[in-house]
Amino acid sequence: MTHSHLFLFFAFLLSLWVVGQTGKEEVNSSLEWEVNGQYRYFYDAPQFDNQLYNYPSIGIKPTYTAIWEDGYQNFIASAYFNWDRDANRRYWDLREFYYQKAKNNWELSVGVKRIFWGVTEASHLIDVINQSDALKSFDGEEKLGQPMVQFSWFSSNLGSLDLFYLPYHRKRGFAGKKGRFRFSTVLESSAIGYESEKEEWHPDFAVRWKHYLSILDIGLSYFTGNGREPFFEFDDVNGNINAFYPLINQFGLDLQITAGALLLKFESIIRKAKQQEFFAMDAGFEFTFSNLDNNGLDIGLLGEYLYDERGDLSLTGFQNDIFYGSRVAFNDTQDTSILGGGIYDLDTHSHLITLEATRRVSNGFVCSIEGRIFSGVSDEELFLLFFKQDSYLSITLSKFF
């Protein structure tokens, strides 16, 4: 059974159960749609055969929400559909499809859900629950829906505790032969195996505790199960790539200190697997100058240092790097914001420059611009070398209704 058929079957059963729960209750429901058209232009010549310069795409995201029992019970369903010139970017995903029950100081969620962990800007090391949607975003910000049972307990004195049972692993998608951001050998997600004999059905578990002490926010996390990143083995002679998902144990720590306009941020992990054991960290700051023109303009300055003990084997390439950037929020009626910056490798001198900007252009329409420039990518880079000619500019127009 493919994951698409599995999700549909699971969604059908959960829908029947939710209908039974809401039969005698007054339900407040809503249906929202996001439809977007995107155009991506890559201005360097393709590095590999069949790659293109221009990639128009269309995305559709419906979201249904039902709330009853004065908000103590709710049901959320959200899907995403994408069409693109690259066949592998023609896909759909069940982003969220879960029932949630809240009572007193606990919550229970059952279904497909997206969870975010992390405080830093350049990299989210501890964010291990959901698989990255690498077909949607290069930086890993977008996530696939993850089947789970989540139990959350809250205490004003002791913080909050989240327990996760994750019964099914989602594989990461990769660009097809026409797509950018791919290796010299086209990787199909179906060809990537598992270390575990149970494969995608290996049960994963995770726990996270978070609390605040005065100006300090702290989080501790642990994950065990199928890793979200494939482990790659390269054949230097034939150019072949062997990849599989290893079994991992990951310990995470995240800290944030809020001192007025200054935020100090820190994330670190220790990941243990049969193939490798390593430490990684991201530490930095964000300082915001607020209301500079007495009209709501906020400008934030960001800086972070990224370290990964794996060196060149790090999938992100952030083994000894500096991130710098600025976040500008106009706080106007159009909700205009700009985030620009770059990541510079202190060892190889490779440089990645990024720009992201959004603005509401009219009622229900939002325009987004995103650009990335790969500059001076060193031949020493193990992964970024495949993307050195993939600098691009994208424009997205989204309609919400």
Side-chain angles (χ1 to χ4, degrees):
M1 180 182 290
T2 67
H3 89 266
S4 298
H5 294 136
L6 176 71
F7 275 19
L8 289 174
F9 178 70
F10 170 79
F12 174 72
L13 293 180
L14 185 56
S15 298
L16 292 178
W17 186 84
V18 170
V19 168
Q21 291 293 303
T22 59
K24 299 180 181 180
E25 296 282 347
E26 181 180 349
V27 179
N28 296 318
S29 62
S30 64
L31 177 62
E32 299 177 352
W33 291 82
E34 177 186 351
V35 179
N36 66 67
Q38 182 184 75
Y39 174 74
R40 294 187 303 159
Y41 175 69
F42 292 81
Y43 43 88
D44 286 331
Q47 187 173 182
F48 307 115
D49 292 340
N50 300 307
Q51 289 183 317
L52 308 172
Y53 283 94
N54 306 285
Y55 294 85
S57 64
I58 297 174
I60 302 174
K61 182 182 178 182
T63 301
Y64 173 77
T65 303
I67 302 173
W68 66 99
E69 198 184 330
D70 297 324
Y72 285 96
Q73 297 191 69
N74 62 77
F75 170 73
I76 296 176
S78 179
Y80 178 73
F81 305 85
N82 193 78
W83 183 92
D84 187 89
R85 295 182 71 183
D86 176 29
N88 282 18
R89 293 189 83 231
R90 301 170 195 162
Y91 69 103
W92 75 276
D93 179 54
L94 197 60
R95 295 300 205 212
E96 293 188 307
F97 197 97
Y98 68 93
Y99 162 79
Q100 185 176 76
K101 167 73 173 180
K103 189 172 183 179
N104 297 327
N105 64 337
W106 60 264
E107 286 182 357
L108 176 66
S109 299
V110 179
V112 177
K113 197 175 180 182
R114 293 199 292 181
I115 301 293
F116 173 76
W117 294 349
V119 295
T120 54
E121 183 69 35
S123 179
H124 306 302
L125 295 170
I126 67 169
D127 192 24
V128 71
I129 295 294
N130 293 80
Q131 178 62 271
S132 294
D133 187 353
L135 296 173
K136 177 63 176 175
S137 65
F138 169 76
D139 57 10
E141 293 289 336
E142 287 288 340
K143 299 291 184 176
L144 300 177
Q146 170 63 47
M148 69 176 67
V149 177
Q150 176 189 3
F151 179 79
S152 301
W153 176 80
F154 309 95
S155 169
S156 58
N157 295 323
L158 301 176
S160 62
L161 184 68
D162 293 304
L163 304 173
F164 298 88
Y165 166 61
L166 313 170
Y168 184 80
H169 178 268
R170 302 291 308 281
K171 288 187 175 183
R172 184 173 300 191
F174 296 92
K177 64 180 181 180
K178 290 185 177 181
R180 295 293 187 122
F181 300 116
R182 70 169 177 85
F183 300 112
S184 54
T185 300
V186 176
L187 281 180
E188 297 293 341
S189 60
S190 59
I192 300 179
Y194 291 87
E195 176 186 351
S196 170
E197 294 181 354
K198 296 180 180 179
E199 299 184 329
E200 61 265 43
W201 290 104
H202 182 280
D204 304 337
F205 298 93
V207 58
R208 184 172 188 239
W209 170 79
K210 56 183 177 181
H211 196 28
Y212 66 91
L213 303 169
S214 184
I215 62 173
L216 172 66
D217 291 277
I218 182 172
L220 296 172
S221 58
Y222 172 71
F223 172 90
T224 180
N226 283 318
R228 272 40 182 168
E229 291 182 350
F231 180 78
F232 290 92
E233 295 176 332
F234 294 90
D235 185 341
D236 295 332
V237 178
N238 300 317
N240 295 327
I241 300 175
N242 177 40
F244 62 92
Y245 292 96
L247 291 171
I248 69 169
N249 289 282
Q250 177 173 303
F251 303 86
L253 167 67
D254 59 284
L255 303 169
Q256 179 170 289
I257 296 176
T258 304
L262 177 65
L263 299 178
L264 300 177
K265 308 177 181 183
F266 178 82
E267 288 187 35
S268 68
I269 62 169
I270 295 176
R271 185 180 299 170
K272 298 182 178 182
K274 183 188 301 183
Q275 298 75 22
Q276 59 183 193
E277 179 178 333
F278 68 92
F279 166 80
M281 59 163 281
D282 184 346
F285 72 92
E286 180 173 356
F287 187 88
T288 302
F289 298 92
S290 300
N291 199 21
L292 287 180
D293 60 351
N294 294 320
N295 200 28
L297 178 66
D298 296 339
I299 298 180
L301 302 179
L302 302 95
E304 294 175 4
Y305 172 69
L306 302 99
Y307 172 77
D308 193 314
E309 198 173 15
R310 290 175 293 179
D312 292 337
L313 291 176
S314 169
L315 284 185
T316 62
F318 304 151
Q319 73 277 18
N320 185 28
D321 296 50
I322 294 291
F323 164 76
Y324 60 90
S326 178
R327 191 196 320 274
V328 181
F330 290 84
N331 294 311
D332 53 3
T333 56
Q334 291 79 29
D335 198 23
T336 308
S337 64
I338 302 172
L339 174 63
I343 298 177
Y344 181 75
D345 193 311
L346 298 174
D347 293 329
T348 66
H349 308 297
S350 299
H351 200 181
L352 171 61
I353 302 171
T354 65
L355 173 68
E356 300 174 7
T358 61
R359 179 180 174 87
R360 188 167 55 247
V361 292
S362 66
N363 188 29
F365 283 94
V366 175
C367 181
S368 303
I369 298 175
E370 181 177 289
R372 299 188 188 277
I373 298 175
F374 295 87
S375 175
V377 176
S378 169
D379 291 340
E380 300 176 25
E381 297 282 2
L382 185 59
F383 291 103
L384 286 182
L385 190 62
F386 293 103
F387 311 145
K388 66 178 182 179
Q389 293 173 216
D390 288 342
S391 299
Y392 73 94
L393 178 69
S394 74
I395 299 177
T396 304
L397 184 64
S398 303
K399 169 65 175 176
F400 297 85
F401 56 93

